Amino acid sequence: MSEPPPSSKRRGRLLRFGAALVVLLAVAGYLAVQYVTGSRGGPGCEVVSAKGDGATYEFSPEQAVNAATITAVGTARGLPERAVTIALATALQESALRNIDYGDRDSLGLFQQRPSQGWGTPAEIMDPTYASAKFYDHLVEVPGYTRLPLTVAAQRVQRSGFPQAYAKHEPDATLLAAALTGRSAATLTCEGRPGATRVSGPEAVRAALVRDFGRDALQPAGAEVGAAGPASTPTASPEQEGGAGGRTVVLPVTAEPGSSGERNRGRRGWQLAHWAVANASALHIQKVTYAGREWTAGHTDSQWRPVGGAGAAGAEKGAGAVRIVTAQ
């Protein structure tokens, strides 16, 4: 049998090379998506628009925890939702809402802050609560930041080489901020299956709340911060709902810092409820109940559902506290 002509061999090699290149590009594209979304192949989270316009944003449990922390730090300071939106868009651009330990030159963390530029020590910057607080410290010094275009406000803080890059994240940041500040009720869900963390139980939930919000998150209305007794630091609920009493954390709902009124009280409740769902995988949270609705981990659709038999009266009765049930 005669050998194929040289031109046929060359075509064969080119075809094999082209096929290999396509595979490599596909792998590179997949890895890029994983980086941008923060996906780890695990359970996911989703936030939907309360306007009924079909807008959604899907993200990972890791991103959810970081977004909830950024939001909590801002609202604990009494900052407006616009400040939270700017912070979330900035973190989406700088780190894809992942607390990474690398970056350009000595940049680190959620906001890619640089120790050499006075943002803090590497250990401090890698603490999401500290990093968020430092971002807000600088943001509130920008005159009229709430009225500025998001890209301008973020750039005044970050001094980025790509200032226009923040703009593309504003729609997703706006959805996240609406849910995580509690303005949009029952719009954030996660699959909530436990992650690799070993941190779980009611005490872990309380510690995370204090870390993100401060001790005010555990204070019922009228209680003194630091006062002794169960009224100042809620313990596991004594209610025996399906044997979950010893695993239930009850959070009294008061108005947000610097606000008052029933509307703001409901907003604060949904902020705490959404915070719990965002932390469900990390803290092994099994169920969250507020205002007559309930989210349960592991449901394929992860929806907020009406609590059995709870009508308008039941929702009103349940609006005074957020109940978080842990897996153990």
Side-chain angles (χ1 to χ4, degrees):
M1 179 182 292
S2 61
E3 292 187 6
S7 59
S8 296
K9 290 183 178 180
R10 283 195 298 273
R11 281 196 297 271
R13 284 196 297 269
L14 287 173
L15 287 172
R16 288 193 294 273
F17 175 78
L21 183 60
V22 168
V23 171
L24 286 173
L25 289 173
V27 171
Y30 171 79
L31 292 175
V33 169
Q34 300 305 297
Y35 174 82
V36 170
T37 63
S39 175
R40 295 291 181 274
C45 300
E46 182 181 43
V47 62
V48 300
S49 172
K51 299 177 181 178
D53 54 10
T56 64
Y57 174 63
E58 295 183 0
F59 52 121
S60 73
E62 175 189 5
Q63 293 172 305
V65 171
N66 291 327
T69 293
I70 291 170
T71 304
V73 171
T75 58
R77 293 178 168 217
L79 297 179
E81 184 179 331
R82 181 61 175 173
V84 173
T85 301
I86 295 168
L88 289 170
T90 302
L92 278 165
Q93 170 59 29
E94 298 292 352
S95 68
L97 278 173
R98 295 163 57 224
N99 195 29
I100 53 179
D101 60 359
Y102 57 88
D104 179 47
R105 288 171 284 189
D106 59 338
S107 300
L108 296 168
L110 289 172
F111 296 94
Q112 289 291 277
Q113 294 158 338
R114 298 179 60 192
S116 65
Q117 299 302 306
W119 286 92
T121 67
E124 287 173 333
I125 291 171
M126 288 300 295
D127 175 355
T129 304
Y130 172 91
S132 300
K134 292 296 287 185
F135 179 86
Y136 289 122
D137 284 346
H138 287 261
L139 179 64
V140 297
E141 292 179 357
V142 177
Y145 73 89
T146 58
R147 300 185 300 274
L148 294 174
L150 185 145
T151 52
V152 175
Q155 176 64 1
R156 296 275 177 86
V157 176
Q158 296 295 108
R159 308 296 182 186
S160 169
F162 305 95
Q164 296 305 315
Y166 301 112
K168 64 178 178 287
H169 299 290
E170 186 166 2
D172 294 335
T174 300
L175 281 179
L176 281 171
L180 288 168
T181 61
R183 178 168 62 83
S184 297
T187 53
L188 188 149
T189 59
C190 293
E191 290 183 18
R193 294 181 184 137
T197 178
R198 296 180 182 177
V199 178
S200 61
E203 290 304 322
V205 172
R206 292 188 198 91
L209 281 161
V210 171
R211 175 199 70 203
D212 286 359
F213 291 96
R215 289 196 60 80
D216 285 351
L218 302 180
Q219 302 298 322
E224 293 183 21
V225 177
S232 63
T233 306
T235 58
S237 168
E239 301 170 2
Q240 298 298 321
E241 301 174 359
R247 298 182 280 111
T248 303
V249 176
V250 179
L251 299 176
V253 177
T254 58
E256 292 177 339
S259 65
S260 61
E262 200 62 31
R263 180 178 178 181
N264 287 322
R265 185 166 169 261
R267 178 168 176 159
R268 177 66 165 178
W270 279 111
Q271 178 181 16
L272 293 169
H274 283 156
W275 176 94
V277 172
N279 281 273
S281 292
L283 298 175
H284 297 195
I285 292 171
Q286 189 176 65
K287 185 182 298 184
V288 181
T289 307
Y290 179 63
R293 298 196 199 181
E294 186 172 85
W295 167 89
T296 303
H299 279 197
T300 53
D301 57 2
S302 298
Q303 297 299 306
W304 285 90
R305 300 179 182 280
V307 176
E316 179 64 27
K317 182 179 178 181
V322 174
R323 285 170 169 78
I324 303 171
V325 181
T326 64
Q328 60 183 15

